[in-house]
Amino acid sequence: MKQTLVKDLYRNTENYIDQQVRISGWIRTIRDSKTFGFIEINDGSFFKGVQIVFDDSLENYKEIAKLPISSSLKVEGDFIYTPQAKQPFEIKATNIEIAGTSNVDYPLQKKRHTFEYLRTIAHLRPRTNTFAAVFRVRSLAAYAIHRFFQENGFVYVHSPIITGSDTEGAGEMFRVTTLDMDNLPKNEQGQTDNTQDFFGKETNLTVSGQLSAEAFALAFRNVYTFGPTFRAENSNTARHAAEFWMIEPEVAFAELPDIMDLAEEMVKYVIGYVLENAPEEMTFFNSFVEKGLLDRLQNAHNAQFARVTYTEAIELLKQSGENFAYPVEWGLDLQTEHERYLCEKVFKKPVFVTDYPKEIKAFYMRLNEDHKTVAATDLLVPGIGELIGGSQREEREDVLAAKIKELNMNEDDYWWYLELRKYGGTKHSGYGLGFERLIMYLTGMTNIRDVIPFPRTPGNAEF
Amino acid sequence: MKQTLVKDLYRNTENYIDQQVRISGWIRTIRDSKTFGFIEINDGSFFKGVQIVFDDSLENYKEIAKLPISSSLKVEGDFIYTPQAKQPFEIKATNIEIAGTSNVDYPLQKKRHTFEYLRTIAHLRPRTNTFAAVFRVRSLAAYAIHRFFQENGFVYVHSPIITGSDTEGAGEMFRVTTLDMDNLPKNEQGQTDNTQDFFGKETNLTVSGQLSAEAFALAFRNVYTFGPTFRAENSNTARHAAEFWMIEPEVAFAELPDIMDLAEEMVKYVIGYVLENAPEEMTFFNSFVEKGLLDRLQNAHNAQFARVTYTEAIELLKQSGENFAYPVEWGLDLQTEHERYLCEKVFKKPVFVTDYPKEIKAFYMRLNEDHKTVAATDLLVPGIGELIGGSQREEREDVLAAKIKELNMNEDDYWWYLELRKYGGTKHSGYGLGFERLIMYLTGMTNIRDVIPFPRTPGNAEF
């Protein structure tokens, strides 16, 4: 008899009524009296477990009754339909095989643990309800993103992780090397001789796949990346990790409003997909992680996202009468408090802010006619602040070249990026979505360390 | 009028007959006489382009006629259905807007270029037929893998890229650091003080996500990773890259034959998906890259993969009478020539070889009852050799701990990996699929540098 997944017992219950079934999984709870007992077993395929009833007709009854939780079992038994009971069904065991015995010092005992503690046992925490829900939703959201772009004809591009250039033109990168750190080769000037490194030069971990994506958008029109990116920023906040995943769609012949439409459609698609495919997990978050989560997501799913220029946003913030910690002034970047005020208090839904001052945005963003702002947009969402940052790219070779010079960037790194403009470059636009921000938005989890399987932050690279 | 994608013109031709359409794209070829001309335009959405007919009724006729190839255009015109002609339709332009003018020194002129040369312009090569086909198939194959696992209830896990440990226990890793290479901090012994590094210790780029996947499989049962992995191997071959993508499914309660079934089903699914969704590209490969490709793939798709033990395989090779460059002896690893002989000459289809000598396989593979072999399997495929390597994992804590000690591995790195066995660890198995190998298998391309958007190899980290 093939093994049945618990998910299938829940989703196709009627198929199993009065049938023999065979499942396997891990003990979540176990209690027994002299002659019979109950085990809640979870097999990982589904958020909820199944109740197993077992009694001393099993020859290994006593051995089973003594098992520590998290031991793994293979169970054969009769599927008992119990539509009146709290659990819609249970399994009356006819045979139980012990697949792996756990230990009484298993750290995940019944009492509630702090998220901080659970981070120290990141190899076990996906066995808890909260993290089982988080990481299933993470998986579903990743797939929803692929589905969305693939169904819309986008080509998935694996942009390089190791890079010789710095996309954003703004430091804070991890060096990648094979040089012997205890015996570095030196050049004639007494500096480290990077020409002897693996790639013949200094290389770093990427901060963005955008420039690569642009090259591919000018061949395939619609492309996206989805891969890990890195920041060597020494900041210990609930929102920063050294390693995180980004999605970066790039669209040829698209102007700023086109990619705002795309971003809005994508966010709604992912929300809809997760609500449909993880109803148990989302209900759990709504009850135990963030009250009102489902309303917030449904609201975003149904709303038409607002659109406002940076200049208008500054006016709205100034008129608000709010006492912000950071100053509000045209030319200064918006802080999270400002972003959240705009979407939570003013618009009460996601809002695109557009056309930021050129000084606070990246070199590749297209200069507007006013010569003061660039065709950039940030999508701000309630509970999070900035979820997405995008722009129309500067497609004019001369304007871009002048900008690279003006910022004293290393022009040699950008020869090919400029050539994209020289050889039939057209208007194009794209955006970046921080995947962990999205998961926090979808689940209500408030620390980025709790939405990454094995998070990397300053001082932490365990597991 | 919204823009139409060329793909849609081909796939839903009947919708456009006698309609006005608006497309945009890049000039692939252009020729003109005094009063009219033809442009083949490709918009990136589809392998094939569209013929545009334009004449001097357009006020910018002369300007257009002089455009270098790869210039970008926006075209409005009448869709002319031509079922008798070589091309099933063409567009009679009523308006052409020049979106971006290219340059006469555009490197991709009509003549055939070598793959070696095209690697030096990796930012432009996706505009050629071959690389447009390769990278579209790469995208579709990636999506097919996600679809396959998601539809089978697998949870996608983002295993960490930066790691403090060495999964395979076998060097050749890239160091990741934020230490100042021209001014390294030293400890009292005069060595580099790694405690001052970003993570407080030495860290490297991952060579495999498997150990993380095991942790998640023991919570979710069915999981997979799909992410970049790295080897700092200084080998300049057509099969090695420093950065490549791996897929690593891991299944709790699965034994070796179970994951062989899974691997077989996955490979067939991906072949089927790509043949169905990229027929033009696959026909192109069959004609211009590898004659017989489609037969080879159809054969694999329809075959039942063979299964043979390593010991039997050695016998088959010895009896073959072939003159191999490398020796064939029980205890020695199979070389590519042996692998290809087995699947191409003996079985004429993909073949799983199982139960290799423990000495030539990784520490985490489950020791068989004979105490000489481990429950490992490699999937060998015609044209490539090893495509997949998998195993049942050693779930017995004492056997695993003894192995780690025997190999003088750093036990501190594996405390959590051993705990997975201590706390209800059960039998589990998984495999690793090198994604680039799969793309080479699907396309017939023979150099790994030609299936990665921007490949990283010794001395090469351009773009």
Side-chain angles (χ1 to χ4, degrees), chain A residues 24 123 138-139 156 158 161-162 175 177 181-182 192 198 221 243 419 456 459, chain B residues 24 123 138-139 156 158 161-162 175 177 181-182 192 198 221 243 419 456 459:
Chain A
S24 49
H123 60 309
R138 185 178 167 111
S139 169
Y156 178 29
H158 286 131
I161 311 300
I162 298 173
R175 172 72 189 258
T177 183
M181 300 280 280
D182 286 319
T192 300
F198 190 89
R221 187 186 196 106
E243 175 180 318
E419 279 199 0
R456 271 70 179 105
Chain B
S24 49
H123 60 309
R138 185 177 169 113
S139 169
Y156 178 30
H158 286 131
I161 311 300
I162 298 172
R175 172 73 189 258
T177 183
M181 301 279 281
D182 286 317
T192 300
F198 190 88
R221 187 184 195 108
E243 175 180 318
E419 278 199 1
R456 271 71 181 104

mmCIF file of all heavy atoms in Angstrom, chain A residues 24 123 138-139 156 158 161-162 175 177 181-182 192 198 221 243 419 456 459, chain B residues 24 123 138-139 156 158 161-162 175 177 181-182 192 198 221 243 419 456 459:
data_model
loop_
_atom_site.group_PDB
_atom_site.id
_atom_site.type_symbol
_atom_site.label_atom_id
_atom_site.label_comp_id
_atom_site.label_asym_id
_atom_site.label_seq_id
_atom_site.Cartn_x
_atom_site.Cartn_y
_atom_site.Cartn_z
ATOM 1 N N SER A 24 2.992 8.376 7.337
ATOM 2 C CA SER A 24 4.175 8.456 8.184
ATOM 3 C C SER A 24 4.376 9.915 8.566
ATOM 4 O O SER A 24 3.877 10.816 7.889
ATOM 5 C CB SER A 24 5.399 7.914 7.448
ATOM 6 O OG SER A 24 5.494 8.474 6.162
ATOM 7 N N HIS A 123 17.632 24.840 12.576
ATOM 8 C CA HIS A 123 17.483 23.542 11.898
ATOM 9 C C HIS A 123 16.235 22.806 12.358
ATOM 10 O O HIS A 123 15.769 21.888 11.692
ATOM 11 C CB HIS A 123 18.720 22.673 12.125
ATOM 12 C CG HIS A 123 19.009 22.367 13.569
ATOM 13 N ND1 HIS A 123 19.073 23.339 14.546
ATOM 14 C CD2 HIS A 123 19.261 21.191 14.206
ATOM 15 C CE1 HIS A 123 19.355 22.766 15.706
ATOM 16 N NE2 HIS A 123 19.468 21.473 15.534
ATOM 17 N N ARG A 138 6.502 31.133 2.097
ATOM 18 C CA ARG A 138 7.658 31.604 1.325
ATOM 19 C C ARG A 138 7.783 30.816 0.014
ATOM 20 O O ARG A 138 7.997 31.384 -1.055
ATOM 21 C CB ARG A 138 8.931 31.467 2.164
ATOM 22 C CG ARG A 138 10.163 32.050 1.503
ATOM 23 C CD ARG A 138 11.434 31.947 2.370
ATOM 24 N NE ARG A 138 12.570 32.245 1.545
ATOM 25 C CZ ARG A 138 13.339 33.338 1.653
ATOM 26 N NH1 ARG A 138 13.119 34.221 2.608
ATOM 27 N NH2 ARG A 138 14.329 33.561 0.814
ATOM 28 N N SER A 139 7.626 29.510 0.117
ATOM 29 C CA SER A 139 7.724 28.655 -1.070
ATOM 30 C C SER A 139 6.605 28.969 -2.073
ATOM 31 O O SER A 139 6.845 29.101 -3.279
ATOM 32 C CB SER A 139 7.656 27.192 -0.636
ATOM 33 O OG SER A 139 7.494 26.332 -1.735
ATOM 34 N N TYR A 156 13.119 34.081 -17.601
ATOM 35 C CA TYR A 156 13.834 34.079 -16.311
ATOM 36 C C TYR A 156 15.338 34.082 -16.586
ATOM 37 O O TYR A 156 15.849 33.194 -17.273
ATOM 38 C CB TYR A 156 13.426 32.834 -15.527
ATOM 39 C CG TYR A 156 14.068 32.611 -14.183
ATOM 40 C CD1 TYR A 156 14.511 33.663 -13.387
ATOM 41 C CD2 TYR A 156 14.207 31.318 -13.684
ATOM 42 C CE1 TYR A 156 15.087 33.423 -12.141
ATOM 43 C CE2 TYR A 156 14.771 31.075 -12.437
ATOM 44 C CZ TYR A 156 15.209 32.138 -11.677
ATOM 45 O OH TYR A 156 15.780 31.898 -10.444
ATOM 46 N N HIS A 158 19.205 34.079 -14.991
ATOM 47 C CA HIS A 158 20.081 33.914 -13.837
ATOM 48 C C HIS A 158 21.237 34.903 -13.964
ATOM 49 O O HIS A 158 22.236 34.613 -14.623
ATOM 50 C CB HIS A 158 20.600 32.483 -13.761
ATOM 51 C CG HIS A 158 19.576 31.499 -13.303
ATOM 52 N ND1 HIS A 158 19.323 30.325 -13.952
ATOM 53 C CD2 HIS A 158 18.721 31.517 -12.246
ATOM 54 C CE1 HIS A 158 18.359 29.660 -13.316
ATOM 55 N NE2 HIS A 158 17.972 30.366 -12.283
ATOM 56 N N ILE A 161 26.183 35.987 -9.674
ATOM 57 C CA ILE A 161 26.297 36.277 -8.247
ATOM 58 C C ILE A 161 27.653 36.928 -7.958
ATOM 59 O O ILE A 161 27.745 37.892 -7.220
ATOM 60 C CB ILE A 161 26.154 34.977 -7.419
ATOM 61 C CG1 ILE A 161 24.926 34.179 -7.849
ATOM 62 C CG2 ILE A 161 26.120 35.299 -5.933
ATOM 63 C CD1 ILE A 161 23.611 34.877 -7.708
ATOM 64 N N ILE A 162 28.689 36.361 -8.546
ATOM 65 C CA ILE A 162 30.021 36.950 -8.402
ATOM 66 C C ILE A 162 30.183 37.997 -9.494
ATOM 67 O O ILE A 162 29.920 37.731 -10.664
ATOM 68 C CB ILE A 162 31.117 35.874 -8.554
ATOM 69 C CG1 ILE A 162 30.972 34.811 -7.452
ATOM 70 C CG2 ILE A 162 32.501 36.505 -8.507
ATOM 71 C CD1 ILE A 162 31.900 33.614 -7.627
ATOM 72 N N ARG A 175 33.721 40.878 -0.484
ATOM 73 C CA ARG A 175 34.793 40.452 -1.357
ATOM 74 C C ARG A 175 34.761 38.927 -1.502
ATOM 75 O O ARG A 175 34.535 38.220 -0.516
ATOM 76 C CB ARG A 175 36.125 40.891 -0.738
ATOM 77 C CG ARG A 175 37.375 40.380 -1.411
ATOM 78 C CD ARG A 175 37.590 41.073 -2.743
ATOM 79 N NE ARG A 175 38.672 40.433 -3.478
ATOM 80 C CZ ARG A 175 39.905 40.908 -3.581
ATOM 81 N NH1 ARG A 175 40.221 42.056 -2.990
ATOM 82 N NH2 ARG A 175 40.827 40.271 -4.271
ATOM 83 N N THR A 177 37.169 35.800 -2.814
ATOM 84 C CA THR A 177 38.580 35.595 -3.135
ATOM 85 C C THR A 177 39.007 34.148 -2.905
ATOM 86 O O THR A 177 38.393 33.432 -2.109
ATOM 87 C CB THR A 177 39.473 36.539 -2.295
ATOM 88 O OG1 THR A 177 40.839 36.362 -2.683
ATOM 89 C CG2 THR A 177 39.359 36.255 -0.802
ATOM 90 N N MET A 181 44.673 34.083 2.717
ATOM 91 C CA MET A 181 44.568 35.266 3.582
ATOM 92 C C MET A 181 45.721 35.357 4.579
ATOM 93 O O MET A 181 45.934 36.393 5.203
ATOM 94 C CB MET A 181 43.232 35.240 4.338
ATOM 95 C CG MET A 181 42.005 35.248 3.450
ATOM 96 S SD MET A 181 41.570 36.886 2.824
ATOM 97 C CE MET A 181 40.733 37.553 4.276
ATOM 98 N N ASP A 182 46.425 34.267 4.767
ATOM 99 C CA ASP A 182 47.575 34.329 5.672
ATOM 100 C C ASP A 182 48.880 34.542 4.920
ATOM 101 O O ASP A 182 49.949 34.598 5.520
ATOM 102 C CB ASP A 182 47.658 33.035 6.505
ATOM 103 C CG ASP A 182 46.588 33.023 7.583
ATOM 104 O OD1 ASP A 182 46.370 34.082 8.204
ATOM 105 O OD2 ASP A 182 45.944 31.977 7.774
ATOM 106 N N THR A 192 47.951 44.223 -2.104
ATOM 107 C CA THR A 192 47.523 42.883 -2.495
ATOM 108 C C THR A 192 47.446 42.795 -4.014
ATOM 109 O O THR A 192 46.864 43.677 -4.662
ATOM 110 C CB THR A 192 46.139 42.585 -1.880
ATOM 111 O OG1 THR A 192 46.263 42.668 -0.474
ATOM 112 C CG2 THR A 192 45.670 41.195 -2.275
ATOM 113 N N PHE A 198 41.424 34.468 -8.240
ATOM 114 C CA PHE A 198 40.804 33.472 -9.114
ATOM 115 C C PHE A 198 40.366 34.046 -10.460
ATOM 116 O O PHE A 198 40.557 33.433 -11.504
ATOM 117 C CB PHE A 198 39.599 32.843 -8.400
ATOM 118 C CG PHE A 198 39.021 31.655 -9.102
ATOM 119 C CD1 PHE A 198 39.500 30.367 -8.850
ATOM 120 C CD2 PHE A 198 37.986 31.788 -10.017
ATOM 121 C CE1 PHE A 198 38.970 29.251 -9.495
ATOM 122 C CE2 PHE A 198 37.448 30.685 -10.665
ATOM 123 C CZ PHE A 198 37.941 29.423 -10.405
ATOM 124 N N ARG A 221 12.858 41.380 -24.519
ATOM 125 C CA ARG A 221 11.788 42.325 -24.195
ATOM 126 C C ARG A 221 11.320 42.216 -22.749
ATOM 127 O O ARG A 221 11.425 43.176 -22.003
ATOM 128 C CB ARG A 221 10.597 42.126 -25.143
ATOM 129 C CG ARG A 221 9.535 43.180 -24.954
ATOM 130 C CD ARG A 221 8.310 42.856 -25.815
ATOM 131 N NE ARG A 221 7.453 44.003 -25.936
ATOM 132 C CZ ARG A 221 7.338 44.741 -27.026
ATOM 133 N NH1 ARG A 221 8.037 44.441 -28.108
ATOM 134 N NH2 ARG A 221 6.547 45.779 -27.052
ATOM 135 N N GLU A 243 22.234 38.655 3.369
ATOM 136 C CA GLU A 243 21.912 37.817 2.207
ATOM 137 C C GLU A 243 20.403 37.743 2.085
ATOM 138 O O GLU A 243 19.732 37.361 3.037
ATOM 139 C CB GLU A 243 22.525 36.424 2.442
ATOM 140 C CG GLU A 243 22.191 35.404 1.389
ATOM 141 C CD GLU A 243 22.825 34.036 1.693
ATOM 142 O OE1 GLU A 243 23.997 34.000 2.108
ATOM 143 O OE2 GLU A 243 22.125 33.030 1.546
ATOM 144 N N GLU A 419 27.066 50.205 -24.143
ATOM 145 C CA GLU A 419 26.822 49.647 -25.479
ATOM 146 C C GLU A 419 25.373 49.217 -25.675
ATOM 147 O O GLU A 419 24.867 49.212 -26.796
ATOM 148 C CB GLU A 419 27.749 48.447 -25.740
ATOM 149 C CG GLU A 419 29.134 48.872 -26.173
ATOM 150 C CD GLU A 419 29.907 47.758 -26.863
ATOM 151 O OE1 GLU A 419 29.378 46.634 -27.028
ATOM 152 O OE2 GLU A 419 31.050 48.029 -27.242
ATOM 153 N N ARG A 456 21.584 35.285 7.480
ATOM 154 C CA ARG A 456 22.950 35.787 7.628
ATOM 155 C C ARG A 456 22.905 37.259 7.989
ATOM 156 O O ARG A 456 22.411 38.077 7.200
ATOM 157 C CB ARG A 456 23.728 35.603 6.317
ATOM 158 C CG ARG A 456 24.440 34.258 6.190
ATOM 159 C CD ARG A 456 23.513 33.120 6.007
ATOM 160 N NE ARG A 456 24.178 31.840 5.873
ATOM 161 C CZ ARG A 456 24.225 30.901 6.853
ATOM 162 N NH1 ARG A 456 23.646 31.090 8.016
ATOM 163 N NH2 ARG A 456 24.845 29.766 6.646
ATOM 164 N N GLY A 459 27.876 38.931 12.312
ATOM 165 C CA GLY A 459 28.207 38.011 13.389
ATOM 166 C C GLY A 459 27.489 36.687 13.351
ATOM 167 O O GLY A 459 27.730 35.830 14.199
ATOM 168 N N SER B 24 6.582 46.433 -31.674
ATOM 169 C CA SER B 24 7.876 47.100 -31.561
ATOM 170 C C SER B 24 8.939 46.027 -31.459
ATOM 171 O O SER B 24 8.648 44.886 -31.074
ATOM 172 C CB SER B 24 7.906 48.023 -30.354
ATOM 173 O OG SER B 24 7.429 47.360 -29.201
ATOM 174 N N HIS B 123 26.801 40.474 -23.472
ATOM 175 C CA HIS B 123 25.660 41.380 -23.288
ATOM 176 C C HIS B 123 24.818 41.470 -24.550
ATOM 177 O O HIS B 123 23.669 41.900 -24.500
ATOM 178 C CB HIS B 123 26.141 42.766 -22.863
ATOM 179 C CG HIS B 123 27.066 43.437 -23.846
ATOM 180 N ND1 HIS B 123 28.179 42.823 -24.364
ATOM 181 C CD2 HIS B 123 27.040 44.678 -24.389
ATOM 182 C CE1 HIS B 123 28.811 43.661 -25.186
ATOM 183 N NE2 HIS B 123 28.135 44.779 -25.218
ATOM 184 N N ARG B 138 16.477 27.728 -21.242
ATOM 185 C CA ARG B 138 16.943 27.758 -19.846
ATOM 186 C C ARG B 138 15.820 28.242 -18.921
ATOM 187 O O ARG B 138 15.555 27.665 -17.867
ATOM 188 C CB ARG B 138 18.180 28.657 -19.726
ATOM 189 C CG ARG B 138 18.791 28.639 -18.329
ATOM 190 C CD ARG B 138 20.073 29.491 -18.224
ATOM 191 N NE ARG B 138 20.405 29.613 -16.825
ATOM 192 C CZ ARG B 138 21.487 29.089 -16.237
ATOM 193 N NH1 ARG B 138 22.387 28.467 -16.949
ATOM 194 N NH2 ARG B 138 21.677 29.200 -14.940
ATOM 195 N N SER B 139 15.165 29.309 -19.337
ATOM 196 C CA SER B 139 14.069 29.870 -18.534
ATOM 197 C C SER B 139 12.913 28.874 -18.404
ATOM 198 O O SER B 139 12.373 28.652 -17.311
ATOM 199 C CB SER B 139 13.588 31.168 -19.183
ATOM 200 O OG SER B 139 12.389 31.619 -18.606
ATOM 201 N N TYR B 156 9.759 24.764 -1.582
ATOM 202 C CA TYR B 156 11.001 25.348 -2.111
ATOM 203 C C TYR B 156 11.748 26.026 -0.972
ATOM 204 O O TYR B 156 11.208 26.902 -0.303
ATOM 205 C CB TYR B 156 10.628 26.354 -3.199
ATOM 206 C CG TYR B 156 11.755 27.121 -3.863
ATOM 207 C CD1 TYR B 156 13.034 26.584 -4.000
ATOM 208 C CD2 TYR B 156 11.525 28.384 -4.404
ATOM 209 C CE1 TYR B 156 14.045 27.297 -4.638
ATOM 210 C CE2 TYR B 156 12.524 29.099 -5.052
ATOM 211 C CZ TYR B 156 13.781 28.553 -5.160
ATOM 212 O OH TYR B 156 14.772 29.274 -5.793
ATOM 213 N N HIS B 158 15.117 28.202 0.212
ATOM 214 C CA HIS B 158 16.299 28.987 -0.153
ATOM 215 C C HIS B 158 17.416 28.680 0.846
ATOM 216 O O HIS B 158 17.481 29.290 1.906
ATOM 217 C CB HIS B 158 15.971 30.478 -0.153
ATOM 218 C CG HIS B 158 15.146 30.906 -1.330
ATOM 219 N ND1 HIS B 158 14.019 31.679 -1.200
ATOM 220 C CD2 HIS B 158 15.275 30.660 -2.657
ATOM 221 C CE1 HIS B 158 13.499 31.898 -2.412
ATOM 222 N NE2 HIS B 158 14.238 31.286 -3.306
ATOM 223 N N ILE B 161 23.640 30.948 0.860
ATOM 224 C CA ILE B 161 24.741 31.030 -0.111
ATOM 225 C C ILE B 161 26.067 31.195 0.645
ATOM 226 O O ILE B 161 27.058 30.558 0.315
ATOM 227 C CB ILE B 161 24.528 32.231 -1.067
ATOM 228 C CG1 ILE B 161 23.109 32.240 -1.641
ATOM 229 C CG2 ILE B 161 25.588 32.220 -2.153
ATOM 230 C CD1 ILE B 161 22.725 31.042 -2.435
ATOM 231 N N ILE B 162 26.059 32.074 1.623
ATOM 232 C CA ILE B 162 27.255 32.250 2.452
ATOM 233 C C ILE B 162 27.188 31.220 3.572
ATOM 234 O O ILE B 162 26.178 31.097 4.257
ATOM 235 C CB ILE B 162 27.316 33.672 3.042
ATOM 236 C CG1 ILE B 162 27.397 34.710 1.918
ATOM 237 C CG2 ILE B 162 28.517 33.806 3.986
ATOM 238 C CD1 ILE B 162 27.275 36.154 2.406
ATOM 239 N N ARG B 175 36.363 32.160 -0.557
ATOM 240 C CA ARG B 175 36.269 32.885 0.694
ATOM 241 C C ARG B 175 35.422 34.145 0.506
ATOM 242 O O ARG B 175 35.555 34.834 -0.506
ATOM 243 C CB ARG B 175 37.695 33.267 1.137
ATOM 244 C CG ARG B 175 37.791 34.188 2.333
ATOM 245 C CD ARG B 175 37.437 33.452 3.615
ATOM 246 N NE ARG B 175 37.336 34.385 4.720
ATOM 247 C CZ ARG B 175 38.276 34.555 5.637
ATOM 248 N NH1 ARG B 175 39.402 33.849 5.577
ATOM 249 N NH2 ARG B 175 38.116 35.419 6.620
ATOM 250 N N THR B 177 34.573 37.750 2.425
ATOM 251 C CA THR B 177 35.138 38.548 3.513
ATOM 252 C C THR B 177 34.848 40.033 3.332
ATOM 253 O O THR B 177 34.628 40.496 2.205
ATOM 254 C CB THR B 177 36.668 38.332 3.607
ATOM 255 O OG1 THR B 177 37.177 39.057 4.719
ATOM 256 C CG2 THR B 177 37.386 38.797 2.344
ATOM 257 N N MET B 181 41.794 43.860 2.566
ATOM 258 C CA MET B 181 42.848 42.966 2.055
ATOM 259 C C MET B 181 44.220 43.645 2.027
ATOM 260 O O MET B 181 45.237 42.958 1.871
ATOM 261 C CB MET B 181 42.493 42.477 0.649
ATOM 262 C CG MET B 181 41.186 41.732 0.549
ATOM 263 S SD MET B 181 41.280 39.995 1.054
ATOM 264 C CE MET B 181 42.012 39.271 -0.427
ATOM 265 N N ASP B 182 44.233 44.959 2.114
ATOM 266 C CA ASP B 182 45.537 45.634 2.152
ATOM 267 C C ASP B 182 45.975 45.933 3.574
ATOM 268 O O ASP B 182 47.034 46.524 3.794
ATOM 269 C CB ASP B 182 45.475 46.927 1.326
ATOM 270 C CG ASP B 182 45.477 46.613 -0.155
ATOM 271 O OD1 ASP B 182 46.262 45.729 -0.559
ATOM 272 O OD2 ASP B 182 44.687 47.224 -0.885
ATOM 273 N N THR B 192 45.732 35.897 10.151
ATOM 274 C CA THR B 192 44.577 36.766 9.932
ATOM 275 C C THR B 192 43.548 36.513 11.034
ATOM 276 O O THR B 192 43.211 35.371 11.329
ATOM 277 C CB THR B 192 43.955 36.468 8.560
ATOM 278 O OG1 THR B 192 44.950 36.719 7.560
ATOM 279 C CG2 THR B 192 42.744 37.333 8.303
ATOM 280 N N PHE B 198 33.192 39.929 8.954
ATOM 281 C CA PHE B 198 31.777 40.321 9.045
ATOM 282 C C PHE B 198 30.945 39.365 9.900
ATOM 283 O O PHE B 198 30.120 39.781 10.706
ATOM 284 C CB PHE B 198 31.181 40.403 7.643
ATOM 285 C CG PHE B 198 29.807 41.011 7.586
ATOM 286 C CD1 PHE B 198 29.630 42.378 7.452
ATOM 287 C CD2 PHE B 198 28.670 40.218 7.671
ATOM 288 C CE1 PHE B 198 28.368 42.952 7.398
ATOM 289 C CE2 PHE B 198 27.388 40.769 7.624
ATOM 290 C CZ PHE B 198 27.252 42.144 7.488
ATOM 291 N N ARG B 221 8.833 17.107 4.891
ATOM 292 C CA ARG B 221 8.842 15.844 4.153
ATOM 293 C C ARG B 221 9.409 15.965 2.745
ATOM 294 O O ARG B 221 10.391 15.324 2.416
ATOM 295 C CB ARG B 221 7.419 15.272 4.064
ATOM 296 C CG ARG B 221 7.397 13.888 3.468
ATOM 297 C CD ARG B 221 5.960 13.387 3.309
ATOM 298 N NE ARG B 221 5.912 11.991 3.078
ATOM 299 C CZ ARG B 221 5.501 11.083 3.967
ATOM 300 N NH1 ARG B 221 5.107 11.470 5.159
ATOM 301 N NH2 ARG B 221 5.498 9.811 3.682
ATOM 302 N N GLU B 243 30.602 29.197 -11.035
ATOM 303 C CA GLU B 243 29.277 29.539 -10.501
ATOM 304 C C GLU B 243 28.234 28.849 -11.362
ATOM 305 O O GLU B 243 28.233 29.019 -12.584
ATOM 306 C CB GLU B 243 29.115 31.067 -10.564
ATOM 307 C CG GLU B 243 27.767 31.585 -10.154
ATOM 308 C CD GLU B 243 27.686 33.109 -10.247
ATOM 309 O OE1 GLU B 243 28.651 33.802 -9.861
ATOM 310 O OE2 GLU B 243 26.663 33.601 -10.738
ATOM 311 N N GLU B 419 22.116 16.507 15.059
ATOM 312 C CA GLU B 419 20.862 16.621 15.825
ATOM 313 C C GLU B 419 19.636 16.239 15.003
ATOM 314 O O GLU B 419 18.619 15.788 15.550
ATOM 315 C CB GLU B 419 20.690 18.050 16.370
ATOM 316 C CG GLU B 419 21.479 18.271 17.643
ATOM 317 C CD GLU B 419 20.985 19.479 18.434
ATOM 318 O OE1 GLU B 419 20.017 20.155 18.028
ATOM 319 O OE2 GLU B 419 21.583 19.743 19.487
ATOM 320 N N ARG B 456 31.132 32.501 -15.190
ATOM 321 C CA ARG B 456 32.311 32.776 -14.363
ATOM 322 C C ARG B 456 33.227 31.568 -14.385
ATOM 323 O O ARG B 456 32.836 30.480 -13.949
ATOM 324 C CB ARG B 456 31.885 33.076 -12.916
ATOM 325 C CG ARG B 456 31.597 34.546 -12.635
ATOM 326 C CD ARG B 456 30.335 35.035 -13.268
ATOM 327 N NE ARG B 456 30.072 36.440 -13.013
ATOM 328 C CZ ARG B 456 30.255 37.428 -13.898
ATOM 329 N NH1 ARG B 456 30.719 37.176 -15.107
ATOM 330 N NH2 ARG B 456 29.972 38.677 -13.581
ATOM 331 N N GLY B 459 39.766 33.359 -14.283
ATOM 332 C CA GLY B 459 40.195 34.506 -15.082
ATOM 333 C C GLY B 459 39.082 35.289 -15.737
ATOM 334 O O GLY B 459 39.341 36.313 -16.380
#
